[in-house]
Amino acid sequence: MLDDGPSGRQNVDDPMPGEGGAADGAKPAAPSWLDDVRRLGAGLKDLFAAQLKLLSAELGLARSGIVLMLFMGLAAIVFAVALGFTLLALAGWGLAQWFGSWAWALTVLAGLQLLLLVGAILVFRRAMHWLTLPATRAEVAALAREAGQRGKAEGEQAGE
């Protein structure tokens, strides 16, 4: 009895009694292309499930990457400021050696920093002006004037 299939049949491929085959008047087997379509659907479902799993894993990695980028950006700023201070100290020391006086070295260094600050402010103001889109605003104003003049001319022609 242990060698029998789950239903007690000797040969599992034989139809069960009452199950019937094509001879019993049961409905015919589905066409083979329908089975192919079912398998295609299951394959597409598995593919899209795998793609969705990959996308969610990559989004998690990107989220972690953004946090890491922010921290490393902050670290880069701190190290850049520290390097700037070190180079400034070296420049001050070099100027002190050249002038033979720390007072003159610091005065020249302060003047150099003042010039760089004024230059940075002027460049910043120019960039702010570019953000106002001056050429685009002038073009839109010209188009509006032209449209107004054309409308006025058409209105005068219609009135005649």
Side-chain angles (χ1 to χ4, degrees):
M1 191 69 158
L2 292 176
D3 293 336
D4 293 343
S7 62
R9 295 178 289 159
Q10 294 292 334
N11 189 353
V12 180
D13 294 332
D14 293 339
M16 286 183 59
E19 193 177 71
D24 288 341
K27 55 184 175 177
S32 63
W33 65 269
L34 192 58
D35 188 42
D36 290 341
V37 170
R38 274 195 209 109
R39 282 187 286 145
L40 176 66
L44 287 175
K45 178 183 170 189
D46 291 342
L47 174 69
F48 286 121
Q51 291 292 329
L52 190 60
K53 188 175 180 181
L54 176 65
L55 178 66
S56 66
E58 282 189 330
L59 285 176
L61 186 62
R63 192 177 318 127
S64 300
I66 288 174
V67 171
L68 185 62
M69 282 175 42
L70 290 174
F71 280 128
M72 290 302 106
L74 181 63
I77 289 171
V78 168
F79 295 141
V81 169
L83 177 66
F85 284 154
T86 302
L87 292 175
L88 196 61
L90 285 173
W93 178 78
L95 286 172
Q97 295 297 318
W98 187 24
F99 288 125
S101 164
W102 276 101
W104 278 109
L106 292 177
T107 303
V108 168
L109 201 56
L112 181 63
Q113 287 179 343
L114 182 64
L115 285 174
L116 291 173
L117 176 65
V118 168
I121 289 172
L122 291 175
V123 170
F124 181 82
R125 288 185 59 173
R126 173 55 62 183
M128 287 295 289
H129 176 70
W130 291 336
L131 285 177
T132 63
L133 307 172
T136 303
R137 282 187 298 125
E139 188 66 27
V140 168
L143 286 173
R145 268 193 312 275
E146 184 181 316
Q149 290 171 354
R150 192 179 313 141
K152 188 176 182 180
E154 289 175 2
E156 289 174 357
Q157 288 177 357
E160 293 177 359

